[in-house]
Amino acid sequence: VATAVFGSGLLEAIPEEAILALADPDDADGDGVSGRPNWVWDVRKGGNSLGRFGWKSNQPTVEQQVAGAFLGDIGITSSLFPDQNHGAAQDALDAYPSGGEPELDDAKLETVTFYSKTLAVPARRGADDPTALRGKKLFHLAGCAACHAPSFTTGEAEGFRSFPTKPSGPTPICSCTTLAARWRTPAPTTRRTAASGARSRSGASA
Ligand SMILES: [Ca+2]
C-alpha cells in the first residue's frame, strides 16, 4: 500500500531539533523504545540531512522524494537525478529516444513538489465521538505514542513561511492559491501542528 502523500509539507516543516530530541538512541528513559535519526544524502545541499520521507526515512526533503519517485518509479530524469536508473546490462536503452536532458524541467519539478507539500491534511472528523476517544486512550495506553508523537509544532519552511501567525486552531493548512501568491514573501513566524511523525523516526518496525 502506498503511503499517504498529504501533509508532507507540514512534516518537512518540523524543526530538526524537535525530531532529534525524541530519538533516545540508547533508550535512556527505559520505555523500551529507541529511535535513531537516519542521516541521508541531500542532493541539493551536497551533504547529509535528516531523513524524513519514504518507508525508511531515506529522503531528506519533499523535493528529493518527488524527484526520486520520478526516476525510480517512472524512469524520468530531473536536475536532481540526471542519470537514467538502469544498470549496465540495460545499456541498449540509451539508444532509445530520450524525453530531454533532464526529462523533467525544473519548473515541473517545482510544481509537483509544491503540490505535494501543500496537499492539505483532511479535516479531522468525529474527534469527540466516544468510540474515537476510547481508541485514543488505548493508543496512549498501548504505548503507540512513544513513536507516533501526537503533535509537533512546525518551524519555518519554504512555502509555509508566509502565513500569518496562528498559534492554535483547526484551520485547514492552506488555500493553495493564497500560498502560491505569497510563495516568496518574507517570513513571519508560523506555528502549526502536524500529526504523527512516525516516518521520521526509526523504531522497532522495518
Ligand atoms: Ca526510550
Side-chain angles (χ1 to χ4, degrees):
V1 179
T3 60
V5 293
F6 50 75
S8 62
L10 286 171
L11 292 175
E12 191 174 77
I14 297 171
E16 198 170 287
E17 316 82 71
I19 295 169
L20 297 182
L22 294 172
D24 194 19
D26 302 315
D27 192 20
D29 66 5
D31 69 352
V33 175
S34 57
R36 287 169 195 81
N38 193 23
W39 297 102
V40 299
W41 189 250
D42 184 328
V43 179
R44 190 161 299 282
K45 183 168 125 186
N48 280 346
S49 288
L50 180 65
R52 292 171 181 256
F53 302 103
W55 288 118
K56 304 273 184 189
S57 286
N58 52 6
Q59 297 292 3
T61 59
V62 176
E63 184 193 42
Q64 191 168 316
Q65 170 71 27
V66 165
F70 263 112
L71 185 72
D73 298 346
I74 51 177
I76 293 181
T77 58
S78 60
S79 59
L80 246 56
F81 298 113
D83 301 322
Q84 298 288 353
N85 67 334
H86 59 69
Q90 296 164 306
D91 274 353
L93 290 171
D94 288 334
Y96 283 78
S98 150
E101 288 188 11
E103 290 162 326
L104 188 76
D105 62 41
D106 279 347
K108 291 200 188 76
L109 174 60
E110 196 182 325
T111 306
V112 178
T113 302
F114 177 79
Y115 172 76
S116 305
K117 280 188 186 182
T118 54
L119 190 60
V121 178
R124 223 173 153 195
R125 57 189 197 284
D128 299 326
D129 185 297
T131 313
L133 289 172
R134 197 167 149 255
K136 183 178 178 181
K137 208 166 156 190
L138 289 172
F139 189 83
H140 283 272
L141 270 176
C144 312
C147 296
H148 295 279
S151 70
F152 282 99
T153 301
T154 57
E156 286 179 18
E158 189 69 33
F160 290 90
R161 51 170 66 157
S162 54
F163 283 97
T165 305
K166 203 168 266 180
S168 63
T171 344
I173 118 173
C174 75
S175 125
C176 291
T177 355
T178 319
L179 185 56
R182 297 173 176 180
W183 179 236
R184 293 188 196 287
T185 55
T189 334
T190 304
R191 291 162 60 84
R192 304 215 53 98
T193 53
S196 164
R199 274 201 196 78
S200 49
R201 305 200 63 201
S202 48
S205 67

